[in-house]
Amino acid sequence: MNTSSDIPKSTAEAKPIAPKVKELVEKSKSVILGTVDADGKPNSSYAPFLKIENTYYVLVSFMARHTKNLRDQKKVSMMFIADESTSKQIYARERLTFDALTEQIERNSDKWNNVIPALKEKYGKVLDVISPMEDFILIAIHPISGSYVNGFGSAYIIDKNLDVLTHRNDIAHGTVPEDN
């Protein structure tokens, strides 16, 4: 049971927790994807991923709404988040969110032929079944900038390399940002 002692009395008393951004990504098997269609209709989904350098690869089917959005709109919000069952405080759940751009990788290109075997190594023989299916396409996701939170008063701006750029302590609690 959470008690009031789990919540900092004020932002000034909250001490930042050392970021473990890379560890969150490394222990994740899938990524949450936020996409929009051509009409701006939002869709949330997820996909198993493979990270190579600063690019994330997902093999996704057109049976899922997010696939067309990823291919055609070229923008995605991606999120890695700690499991609820292991989080001490649900309001301060560890998470990393990126704004990113996408590109479709052509079937049988050099990139395809390098990434698909790596996906198989990570996720097993299911790739032998799904990768030849024509409705599955390979999408490369290129992060631009991100935000990492790992506790109260412990939020950071992250670059595409998963390096911390700055601690986000410029917005005081109790204030609501104005719409632009």
Side-chain angles (χ1 to χ4, degrees):
M1 181 169 127
N2 292 331
T3 65
S4 60
S5 64
D6 293 335
I7 301 171
K9 291 181 174 73
S10 74
T11 304
E13 294 175 19
K15 299 208 185 310
I17 301 166
K20 295 183 180 177
V21 183
K22 292 175 181 152
E23 290 88 341
L24 177 62
V25 172
E26 287 169 3
K27 67 184 177 185
S28 298
K29 293 180 182 176
S30 62
V31 60
I32 297 169
L33 303 169
T35 64
V36 295
D37 66 17
D39 297 324
K41 186 175 179 183
N43 177 245
S44 295
S45 192
Y46 84 98
F49 74 95
L50 177 69
K51 181 178 183 288
I52 300 175
E53 297 177 3
N54 294 330
T55 302
Y56 299 78
Y57 295 91
V58 295
L59 184 66
V60 288
S61 167
F62 271 103
M63 295 188 73
R65 282 178 38 202
H66 66 257
T67 301
K68 184 172 179 15
N69 298 344
L70 288 166
R71 184 194 67 186
D72 296 349
Q73 302 310 310
K74 311 280 188 223
K75 294 179 184 178
V76 64
S77 175
M78 54 191 288
M79 176 186 244
F80 300 90
I81 189 163
D83 189 299
E84 289 179 358
S85 66
T86 62
S87 298
K88 292 179 183 177
Q89 174 43 259
I90 199 70
Y91 277 97
R93 204 166 149 196
E94 183 185 15
R95 59 201 177 270
L96 167 66
T97 305
F98 270 115
D99 291 334
L101 298 175
T102 65
E103 73 171 306
Q104 181 177 347
I105 304 301
E106 292 302 317
R107 188 173 287 273
N108 296 318
S109 66
D110 287 345
K111 184 62 73 177
W112 172 281
N113 292 331
N114 288 324
V115 172
I116 295 300
L119 277 165
K120 181 180 176 185
E121 185 176 316
K122 185 173 182 179
Y123 295 107
K125 292 182 180 185
V126 68
L127 270 290
D128 289 335
V129 175
I130 65 174
S131 64
M133 294 179 176
E134 293 295 321
D135 65 304
F136 276 85
I137 64 172
L138 184 62
I139 298 287
I141 303 174
H142 306 285
I144 299 168
S145 61
S147 175
Y148 173 77
V149 176
N150 67 345
F152 288 107
S154 191
Y156 303 87
I157 296 172
I158 305 297
D159 69 12
K160 66 182 181 179
N161 303 312
L162 301 178
D163 292 324
V164 173
L165 296 178
T166 186
H167 181 246
R168 293 184 73 170
N169 58 358
D170 56 346
I171 300 173
H173 286 285
T175 60
V176 178
E178 293 182 27
D179 290 337
N180 291 350

